[in-house]
Amino acid sequence: MAKVKGIRKRWMLNSISAVLLIVLFAVAAFSAAITSYFYSTMSIGLNSRITSALPYFSSVKSRSEYYQSASNYVQNFTEKNRLELQIINPSGIYESTNDLTISGSYPNTPDVTGAIEERKQSSWSGTAPVTGERIMSVSAPIVSRNGTLIGVIRMVTSLSRADIQVVKIVA
């Protein structure tokens, strides 16, 4: 690198460097805030959809009733074009889903594990083990009247649109 000569040139270089660092820090902070806002809004939306779906399964008394209810719920799910709905058994294997390519496999994500082991609604975002796509998912346990875990309802959405929006806003 060429040596900068003269007080004026050094002063300009140091001033511009400091301003650029401040601007880069501000853009990075703005990006993090926008990303956090988008992701938290998506998470709130998924959690509310799961919470509103759970009463559909509240009257289930047997496994056969559960299978019928799960099948009906997946078939009549109105947001198929925006969300993937999955019904998972207590072993963590898909029983019913609106995405026929994954039926019978195991999602193996922390939200499903939390719903099965801790019996509480939990969310997760990261890279999907099967597809490699960045996703956000929320899972909630389906518990029978006698307290037995009979399944898990899970909703999944892609983060690609949110990521594109963040890039557009930051740009």
mmCIF file with all atom_site columns, all heavy atoms in Angstrom, residues 93-116:
data_model
loop_
_atom_site.group_PDB
_atom_site.id
_atom_site.type_symbol
_atom_site.label_atom_id
_atom_site.label_alt_id
_atom_site.label_comp_id
_atom_site.label_asym_id
_atom_site.label_entity_id
_atom_site.label_seq_id
_atom_site.pdbx_PDB_ins_code
_atom_site.Cartn_x
_atom_site.Cartn_y
_atom_site.Cartn_z
_atom_site.occupancy
_atom_site.B_iso_or_equiv
_atom_site.pdbx_formal_charge
_atom_site.auth_seq_id
_atom_site.auth_comp_id
_atom_site.auth_asym_id
_atom_site.auth_atom_id
_atom_site.pdbx_PDB_model_num
ATOM 1   N N   . ILE A 1 93  ? -42.550 -39.545 13.889 1.00 0.00 ? 93  ILE A N   1
ATOM 2   C CA  . ILE A 1 93  ? -42.662 -39.868 12.463 1.00 0.00 ? 93  ILE A CA  1
ATOM 3   C C   . ILE A 1 93  ? -43.915 -39.214 11.902 1.00 0.00 ? 93  ILE A C   1
ATOM 4   O O   . ILE A 1 93  ? -44.973 -39.237 12.532 1.00 0.00 ? 93  ILE A O   1
ATOM 5   C CB  . ILE A 1 93  ? -42.698 -41.399 12.252 1.00 0.00 ? 93  ILE A CB  1
ATOM 6   C CG1 . ILE A 1 93  ? -41.384 -42.000 12.755 1.00 0.00 ? 93  ILE A CG1 1
ATOM 7   C CG2 . ILE A 1 93  ? -42.927 -41.748 10.785 1.00 0.00 ? 93  ILE A CG2 1
ATOM 8   C CD1 . ILE A 1 93  ? -41.360 -43.503 12.777 1.00 0.00 ? 93  ILE A CD1 1
ATOM 9   N N   . TYR A 1 94  ? -43.797 -38.634 10.705 1.00 0.00 ? 94  TYR A N   1
ATOM 10  C CA  . TYR A 1 94  ? -44.939 -37.998 10.062 1.00 0.00 ? 94  TYR A CA  1
ATOM 11  C C   . TYR A 1 94  ? -46.061 -39.004 9.838  1.00 0.00 ? 94  TYR A C   1
ATOM 12  O O   . TYR A 1 94  ? -45.834 -40.075 9.303  1.00 0.00 ? 94  TYR A O   1
ATOM 13  C CB  . TYR A 1 94  ? -44.563 -37.418 8.686  1.00 0.00 ? 94  TYR A CB  1
ATOM 14  C CG  . TYR A 1 94  ? -43.547 -36.317 8.719  1.00 0.00 ? 94  TYR A CG  1
ATOM 15  C CD1 . TYR A 1 94  ? -42.278 -36.513 8.199  1.00 0.00 ? 94  TYR A CD1 1
ATOM 16  C CD2 . TYR A 1 94  ? -43.855 -35.069 9.231  1.00 0.00 ? 94  TYR A CD2 1
ATOM 17  C CE1 . TYR A 1 94  ? -41.331 -35.504 8.207  1.00 0.00 ? 94  TYR A CE1 1
ATOM 18  C CE2 . TYR A 1 94  ? -42.921 -34.047 9.252  1.00 0.00 ? 94  TYR A CE2 1
ATOM 19  C CZ  . TYR A 1 94  ? -41.666 -34.268 8.737  1.00 0.00 ? 94  TYR A CZ  1
ATOM 20  O OH  . TYR A 1 94  ? -40.745 -33.266 8.746  1.00 0.00 ? 94  TYR A OH  1
ATOM 21  N N   . GLU A 1 95  ? -47.261 -38.624 10.230 1.00 0.00 ? 95  GLU A N   1
ATOM 22  C CA  . GLU A 1 95  ? -48.433 -39.447 9.958  1.00 0.00 ? 95  GLU A CA  1
ATOM 23  C C   . GLU A 1 95  ? -49.254 -38.851 8.831  1.00 0.00 ? 95  GLU A C   1
ATOM 24  O O   . GLU A 1 95  ? -49.797 -39.558 8.018  1.00 0.00 ? 95  GLU A O   1
ATOM 25  C CB  . GLU A 1 95  ? -49.299 -39.572 11.213 1.00 0.00 ? 95  GLU A CB  1
ATOM 26  C CG  . GLU A 1 95  ? -48.648 -40.415 12.268 1.00 0.00 ? 95  GLU A CG  1
ATOM 27  C CD  . GLU A 1 95  ? -49.535 -40.583 13.486 1.00 0.00 ? 95  GLU A CD  1
ATOM 28  O OE1 . GLU A 1 95  ? -50.402 -39.734 13.740 1.00 0.00 ? 95  GLU A OE1 1
ATOM 29  O OE2 . GLU A 1 95  ? -49.346 -41.580 14.181 1.00 0.00 ? 95  GLU A OE2 1
ATOM 30  N N   . SER A 1 96  ? -49.345 -37.533 8.820  1.00 0.00 ? 96  SER A N   1
ATOM 31  C CA  . SER A 1 96  ? -50.142 -36.853 7.811  1.00 0.00 ? 96  SER A CA  1
ATOM 32  C C   . SER A 1 96  ? -49.533 -35.481 7.563  1.00 0.00 ? 96  SER A C   1
ATOM 33  O O   . SER A 1 96  ? -49.103 -34.808 8.501  1.00 0.00 ? 96  SER A O   1
ATOM 34  C CB  . SER A 1 96  ? -51.583 -36.714 8.319  1.00 0.00 ? 96  SER A CB  1
ATOM 35  O OG  . SER A 1 96  ? -52.413 -36.203 7.329  1.00 0.00 ? 96  SER A OG  1
ATOM 36  N N   . THR A 1 97  ? -49.483 -35.090 6.305  1.00 0.00 ? 97  THR A N   1
ATOM 37  C CA  . THR A 1 97  ? -48.915 -33.794 5.954  1.00 0.00 ? 97  THR A CA  1
ATOM 38  C C   . THR A 1 97  ? -49.481 -33.353 4.617  1.00 0.00 ? 97  THR A C   1
ATOM 39  O O   . THR A 1 97  ? -49.926 -34.177 3.826  1.00 0.00 ? 97  THR A O   1
ATOM 40  C CB  . THR A 1 97  ? -47.370 -33.857 5.895  1.00 0.00 ? 97  THR A CB  1
ATOM 41  O OG1 . THR A 1 97  ? -46.859 -32.584 5.510  1.00 0.00 ? 97  THR A OG1 1
ATOM 42  C CG2 . THR A 1 97  ? -46.884 -34.933 4.949  1.00 0.00 ? 97  THR A CG2 1
ATOM 43  N N   . ASN A 1 98  ? -49.467 -32.050 4.372  1.00 0.00 ? 98  ASN A N   1
ATOM 44  C CA  . ASN A 1 98  ? -49.913 -31.574 3.066  1.00 0.00 ? 98  ASN A CA  1
ATOM 45  C C   . ASN A 1 98  ? -48.764 -31.572 2.055  1.00 0.00 ? 98  ASN A C   1
ATOM 46  O O   . ASN A 1 98  ? -48.926 -31.156 0.937  1.00 0.00 ? 98  ASN A O   1
ATOM 47  C CB  . ASN A 1 98  ? -50.598 -30.207 3.167  1.00 0.00 ? 98  ASN A CB  1
ATOM 48  C CG  . ASN A 1 98  ? -49.713 -29.119 3.717  1.00 0.00 ? 98  ASN A CG  1
ATOM 49  O OD1 . ASN A 1 98  ? -48.645 -29.378 4.251  1.00 0.00 ? 98  ASN A OD1 1
ATOM 50  N ND2 . ASN A 1 98  ? -50.161 -27.891 3.626  1.00 0.00 ? 98  ASN A ND2 1
ATOM 51  N N   . ASP A 1 99  ? -47.588 -32.062 2.462  1.00 0.00 ? 99  ASP A N   1
ATOM 52  C CA  . ASP A 1 99  ? -46.459 -32.240 1.556  1.00 0.00 ? 99  ASP A CA  1
ATOM 53  C C   . ASP A 1 99  ? -46.190 -33.736 1.450  1.00 0.00 ? 99  ASP A C   1
ATOM 54  O O   . ASP A 1 99  ? -45.607 -34.335 2.338  1.00 0.00 ? 99  ASP A O   1
ATOM 55  C CB  . ASP A 1 99  ? -45.221 -31.517 2.092  1.00 0.00 ? 99  ASP A CB  1
ATOM 56  C CG  . ASP A 1 99  ? -44.010 -31.669 1.192  1.00 0.00 ? 99  ASP A CG  1
ATOM 57  O OD1 . ASP A 1 99  ? -44.126 -32.300 0.117  1.00 0.00 ? 99  ASP A OD1 1
ATOM 58  O OD2 . ASP A 1 99  ? -42.940 -31.155 1.555  1.00 0.00 ? 99  ASP A OD2 1
ATOM 59  N N   . LEU A 1 100 ? -46.627 -34.343 0.380  1.00 0.00 ? 100 LEU A N   1
ATOM 60  C CA  . LEU A 1 100 ? -46.558 -35.797 0.245  1.00 0.00 ? 100 LEU A CA  1
ATOM 61  C C   . LEU A 1 100 ? -45.140 -36.337 0.086  1.00 0.00 ? 100 LEU A C   1
ATOM 62  O O   . LEU A 1 100 ? -44.905 -37.522 0.226  1.00 0.00 ? 100 LEU A O   1
ATOM 63  C CB  . LEU A 1 100 ? -47.419 -36.248 -0.931 1.00 0.00 ? 100 LEU A CB  1
ATOM 64  C CG  . LEU A 1 100 ? -48.906 -35.899 -0.802 1.00 0.00 ? 100 LEU A CG  1
ATOM 65  C CD1 . LEU A 1 100 ? -49.653 -36.296 -2.059 1.00 0.00 ? 100 LEU A CD1 1
ATOM 66  C CD2 . LEU A 1 100 ? -49.514 -36.558 0.413  1.00 0.00 ? 100 LEU A CD2 1
ATOM 67  N N   . THR A 1 101 ? -44.172 -35.464 -0.180 1.00 0.00 ? 101 THR A N   1
ATOM 68  C CA  . THR A 1 101 ? -42.807 -35.942 -0.402 1.00 0.00 ? 101 THR A CA  1
ATOM 69  C C   . THR A 1 101 ? -42.102 -36.334 0.889  1.00 0.00 ? 101 THR A C   1
ATOM 70  O O   . THR A 1 101 ? -41.087 -37.012 0.838  1.00 0.00 ? 101 THR A O   1
ATOM 71  C CB  . THR A 1 101 ? -41.960 -34.875 -1.119 1.00 0.00 ? 101 THR A CB  1
ATOM 72  O OG1 . THR A 1 101 ? -41.886 -33.704 -0.285 1.00 0.00 ? 101 THR A OG1 1
ATOM 73  C CG2 . THR A 1 101 ? -42.545 -34.518 -2.458 1.00 0.00 ? 101 THR A CG2 1
ATOM 74  N N   . ILE A 1 102 ? -42.616 -35.915 2.046  1.00 0.00 ? 102 ILE A N   1
ATOM 75  C CA  . ILE A 1 102 ? -41.897 -36.205 3.293  1.00 0.00 ? 102 ILE A CA  1
ATOM 76  C C   . ILE A 1 102 ? -42.600 -37.227 4.169  1.00 0.00 ? 102 ILE A C   1
ATOM 77  O O   . ILE A 1 102 ? -42.125 -37.541 5.238  1.00 0.00 ? 102 ILE A O   1
ATOM 78  C CB  . ILE A 1 102 ? -41.657 -34.920 4.105  1.00 0.00 ? 102 ILE A CB  1
ATOM 79  C CG1 . ILE A 1 102 ? -42.976 -34.284 4.503  1.00 0.00 ? 102 ILE A CG1 1
ATOM 80  C CG2 . ILE A 1 102 ? -40.762 -33.973 3.368  1.00 0.00 ? 102 ILE A CG2 1
ATOM 81  C CD1 . ILE A 1 102 ? -42.826 -33.189 5.522  1.00 0.00 ? 102 ILE A CD1 1
ATOM 82  N N   . SER A 1 103 ? -43.713 -37.737 3.756  1.00 0.00 ? 103 SER A N   1
ATOM 83  C CA  . SER A 1 103 ? -44.481 -38.666 4.581  1.00 0.00 ? 103 SER A CA  1
ATOM 84  C C   . SER A 1 103 ? -43.630 -39.848 5.024  1.00 0.00 ? 103 SER A C   1
ATOM 85  O O   . SER A 1 103 ? -42.898 -40.429 4.244  1.00 0.00 ? 103 SER A O   1
ATOM 86  C CB  . SER A 1 103 ? -45.680 -39.177 3.791  1.00 0.00 ? 103 SER A CB  1
ATOM 87  O OG  . SER A 1 103 ? -46.841 -38.977 4.523  1.00 0.00 ? 103 SER A OG  1
ATOM 88  N N   . GLY A 1 104 ? -43.730 -40.170 6.314  1.00 0.00 ? 104 GLY A N   1
ATOM 89  C CA  . GLY A 1 104 ? -43.034 -41.323 6.849  1.00 0.00 ? 104 GLY A CA  1
ATOM 90  C C   . GLY A 1 104 ? -41.643 -41.057 7.366  1.00 0.00 ? 104 GLY A C   1
ATOM 91  O O   . GLY A 1 104 ? -41.038 -41.925 7.966  1.00 0.00 ? 104 GLY A O   1
ATOM 92  N N   . SER A 1 105 ? -41.102 -39.851 7.197  1.00 0.00 ? 105 SER A N   1
ATOM 93  C CA  . SER A 1 105 ? -39.759 -39.586 7.705  1.00 0.00 ? 105 SER A CA  1
ATOM 94  C C   . SER A 1 105 ? -39.833 -38.890 9.073  1.00 0.00 ? 105 SER A C   1
ATOM 95  O O   . SER A 1 105 ? -40.902 -38.595 9.575  1.00 0.00 ? 105 SER A O   1
ATOM 96  C CB  . SER A 1 105 ? -38.963 -38.744 6.701  1.00 0.00 ? 105 SER A CB  1
ATOM 97  O OG  . SER A 1 105 ? -39.609 -37.531 6.449  1.00 0.00 ? 105 SER A OG  1
ATOM 98  N N   . TYR A 1 106 ? -38.690 -38.640 9.641  1.00 0.00 ? 106 TYR A N   1
ATOM 99  C CA  . TYR A 1 106 ? -38.582 -38.075 10.977 1.00 0.00 ? 106 TYR A CA  1
ATOM 100 C C   . TYR A 1 106 ? -37.989 -36.673 10.872 1.00 0.00 ? 106 TYR A C   1
ATOM 101 O O   . TYR A 1 106 ? -36.878 -36.523 10.369 1.00 0.00 ? 106 TYR A O   1
ATOM 102 C CB  . TYR A 1 106 ? -37.681 -38.984 11.822 1.00 0.00 ? 106 TYR A CB  1
ATOM 103 C CG  . TYR A 1 106 ? -37.552 -38.569 13.253 1.00 0.00 ? 106 TYR A CG  1
ATOM 104 C CD1 . TYR A 1 106 ? -38.505 -38.941 14.190 1.00 0.00 ? 106 TYR A CD1 1
ATOM 105 C CD2 . TYR A 1 106 ? -36.481 -37.808 13.680 1.00 0.00 ? 106 TYR A CD2 1
ATOM 106 C CE1 . TYR A 1 106 ? -38.392 -38.569 15.518 1.00 0.00 ? 106 TYR A CE1 1
ATOM 107 C CE2 . TYR A 1 106 ? -36.356 -37.424 15.004 1.00 0.00 ? 106 TYR A CE2 1
ATOM 108 C CZ  . TYR A 1 106 ? -37.315 -37.814 15.917 1.00 0.00 ? 106 TYR A CZ  1
ATOM 109 O OH  . TYR A 1 106 ? -37.211 -37.435 17.228 1.00 0.00 ? 106 TYR A OH  1
ATOM 110 N N   . PRO A 1 107 ? -38.686 -35.614 11.354 1.00 0.00 ? 107 PRO A N   1
ATOM 111 C CA  . PRO A 1 107 ? -38.169 -34.260 11.202 1.00 0.00 ? 107 PRO A CA  1
ATOM 112 C C   . PRO A 1 107 ? -36.917 -33.973 12.019 1.00 0.00 ? 107 PRO A C   1
ATOM 113 O O   . PRO A 1 107 ? -36.064 -33.222 11.597 1.00 0.00 ? 107 PRO A O   1
ATOM 114 C CB  . PRO A 1 107 ? -39.318 -33.368 11.636 1.00 0.00 ? 107 PRO A CB  1
ATOM 115 C CG  . PRO A 1 107 ? -40.245 -34.225 12.388 1.00 0.00 ? 107 PRO A CG  1
ATOM 116 C CD  . PRO A 1 107 ? -40.007 -35.639 11.951 1.00 0.00 ? 107 PRO A CD  1
ATOM 117 N N   . ASN A 1 108 ? -36.795 -34.571 13.218 1.00 0.00 ? 108 ASN A N   1
ATOM 118 C CA  . ASN A 1 108 ? -35.606 -34.434 14.050 1.00 0.00 ? 108 ASN A CA  1
ATOM 119 C C   . ASN A 1 108 ? -35.162 -32.990 14.254 1.00 0.00 ? 108 ASN A C   1
ATOM 120 O O   . ASN A 1 108 ? -34.001 -32.651 14.054 1.00 0.00 ? 108 ASN A O   1
ATOM 121 C CB  . ASN A 1 108 ? -34.465 -35.275 13.475 1.00 0.00 ? 108 ASN A CB  1
ATOM 122 C CG  . ASN A 1 108 ? -33.374 -35.520 14.507 1.00 0.00 ? 108 ASN A CG  1
ATOM 123 O OD1 . ASN A 1 108 ? -33.629 -35.470 15.702 1.00 0.00 ? 108 ASN A OD1 1
ATOM 124 N ND2 . ASN A 1 108 ? -32.171 -35.772 14.042 1.00 0.00 ? 108 ASN A ND2 1
ATOM 125 N N   . THR A 1 109 ? -36.083 -32.126 14.638 1.00 0.00 ? 109 THR A N   1
ATOM 126 C CA  . THR A 1 109 ? -35.758 -30.740 14.958 1.00 0.00 ? 109 THR A CA  1
ATOM 127 C C   . THR A 1 109 ? -36.150 -30.475 16.413 1.00 0.00 ? 109 THR A C   1
ATOM 128 O O   . THR A 1 109 ? -37.003 -31.164 16.974 1.00 0.00 ? 109 THR A O   1
ATOM 129 C CB  . THR A 1 109 ? -36.488 -29.765 14.021 1.00 0.00 ? 109 THR A CB  1
ATOM 130 O OG1 . THR A 1 109 ? -37.893 -30.018 14.089 1.00 0.00 ? 109 THR A OG1 1
ATOM 131 C CG2 . THR A 1 109 ? -35.991 -29.896 12.592 1.00 0.00 ? 109 THR A CG2 1
ATOM 132 N N   . PRO A 1 110 ? -35.546 -29.462 17.048 1.00 0.00 ? 110 PRO A N   1
ATOM 133 C CA  . PRO A 1 110 ? -35.801 -29.203 18.470 1.00 0.00 ? 110 PRO A CA  1
ATOM 134 C C   . PRO A 1 110 ? -37.265 -28.909 18.817 1.00 0.00 ? 110 PRO A C   1
ATOM 135 O O   . PRO A 1 110 ? -37.694 -29.212 19.926 1.00 0.00 ? 110 PRO A O   1
ATOM 136 C CB  . PRO A 1 110 ? -34.925 -27.987 18.766 1.00 0.00 ? 110 PRO A CB  1
ATOM 137 C CG  . PRO A 1 110 ? -33.845 -28.039 17.756 1.00 0.00 ? 110 PRO A CG  1
ATOM 138 C CD  . PRO A 1 110 ? -34.465 -28.621 16.529 1.00 0.00 ? 110 PRO A CD  1
ATOM 139 N N   . ASP A 1 111 ? -38.020 -28.339 17.896 1.00 0.00 ? 111 ASP A N   1
ATOM 140 C CA  . ASP A 1 111 ? -39.422 -28.051 18.214 1.00 0.00 ? 111 ASP A CA  1
ATOM 141 C C   . ASP A 1 111 ? -40.227 -29.331 18.372 1.00 0.00 ? 111 ASP A C   1
ATOM 142 O O   . ASP A 1 111 ? -41.065 -29.448 19.276 1.00 0.00 ? 111 ASP A O   1
ATOM 143 C CB  . ASP A 1 111 ? -40.060 -27.132 17.168 1.00 0.00 ? 111 ASP A CB  1
ATOM 144 C CG  . ASP A 1 111 ? -40.064 -27.733 15.770 1.00 0.00 ? 111 ASP A CG  1
ATOM 145 O OD1 . ASP A 1 111 ? -39.011 -28.229 15.335 1.00 0.00 ? 111 ASP A OD1 1
ATOM 146 O OD2 . ASP A 1 111 ? -41.115 -27.691 15.112 1.00 0.00 ? 111 ASP A OD2 1
ATOM 147 N N   . VAL A 1 112 ? -39.977 -30.319 17.527 1.00 0.00 ? 112 VAL A N   1
ATOM 148 C CA  . VAL A 1 112 ? -40.683 -31.599 17.626 1.00 0.00 ? 112 VAL A CA  1
ATOM 149 C C   . VAL A 1 112 ? -40.243 -32.335 18.895 1.00 0.00 ? 112 VAL A C   1
ATOM 150 O O   . VAL A 1 112 ? -41.081 -32.858 19.643 1.00 0.00 ? 112 VAL A O   1
ATOM 151 C CB  . VAL A 1 112 ? -40.435 -32.480 16.379 1.00 0.00 ? 112 VAL A CB  1
ATOM 152 C CG1 . VAL A 1 112 ? -41.057 -33.851 16.546 1.00 0.00 ? 112 VAL A CG1 1
ATOM 153 C CG2 . VAL A 1 112 ? -40.974 -31.792 15.138 1.00 0.00 ? 112 VAL A CG2 1
ATOM 154 N N   . THR A 1 113 ? -38.959 -32.346 19.169 1.00 0.00 ? 113 THR A N   1
ATOM 155 C CA  . THR A 1 113 ? -38.443 -32.983 20.374 1.00 0.00 ? 113 THR A CA  1
ATOM 156 C C   . THR A 1 113 ? -39.046 -32.347 21.620 1.00 0.00 ? 113 THR A C   1
ATOM 157 O O   . THR A 1 113 ? -39.449 -33.044 22.548 1.00 0.00 ? 113 THR A O   1
ATOM 158 C CB  . THR A 1 113 ? -36.904 -32.880 20.411 1.00 0.00 ? 113 THR A CB  1
ATOM 159 O OG1 . THR A 1 113 ? -36.379 -33.420 19.201 1.00 0.00 ? 113 THR A OG1 1
ATOM 160 C CG2 . THR A 1 113 ? -36.322 -33.634 21.583 1.00 0.00 ? 113 THR A CG2 1
ATOM 161 N N   . GLY A 1 114 ? -39.131 -31.012 21.632 1.00 0.00 ? 114 GLY A N   1
ATOM 162 C CA  . GLY A 1 114 ? -39.725 -30.314 22.779 1.00 0.00 ? 114 GLY A CA  1
ATOM 163 C C   . GLY A 1 114 ? -41.185 -30.651 22.962 1.00 0.00 ? 114 GLY A C   1
ATOM 164 O O   . GLY A 1 114 ? -41.656 -30.825 24.086 1.00 0.00 ? 114 GLY A O   1
ATOM 165 N N   . ALA A 1 115 ? -41.919 -30.748 21.864 1.00 0.00 ? 115 ALA A N   1
ATOM 166 C CA  . ALA A 1 115 ? -43.346 -31.075 21.949 1.00 0.00 ? 115 ALA A CA  1
ATOM 167 C C   . ALA A 1 115 ? -43.554 -32.499 22.452 1.00 0.00 ? 115 ALA A C   1
ATOM 168 O O   . ALA A 1 115 ? -44.484 -32.771 23.204 1.00 0.00 ? 115 ALA A O   1
ATOM 169 C CB  . ALA A 1 115 ? -44.016 -30.887 20.590 1.00 0.00 ? 115 ALA A CB  1
ATOM 170 N N   . ILE A 1 116 ? -42.676 -33.418 22.038 1.00 0.00 ? 116 ILE A N   1
ATOM 171 C CA  . ILE A 1 116 ? -42.822 -34.822 22.452 1.00 0.00 ? 116 ILE A CA  1
ATOM 172 C C   . ILE A 1 116 ? -42.317 -35.043 23.879 1.00 0.00 ? 116 ILE A C   1
ATOM 173 O O   . ILE A 1 116 ? -43.021 -35.597 24.716 1.00 0.00 ? 116 ILE A O   1
ATOM 174 C CB  . ILE A 1 116 ? -42.090 -35.763 21.460 1.00 0.00 ? 116 ILE A CB  1
ATOM 175 C CG1 . ILE A 1 116 ? -42.798 -35.748 20.111 1.00 0.00 ? 116 ILE A CG1 1
ATOM 176 C CG2 . ILE A 1 116 ? -42.014 -37.180 22.016 1.00 0.00 ? 116 ILE A CG2 1
ATOM 177 C CD1 . ILE A 1 116 ? -42.054 -36.484 19.010 1.00 0.00 ? 116 ILE A CD1 1
#
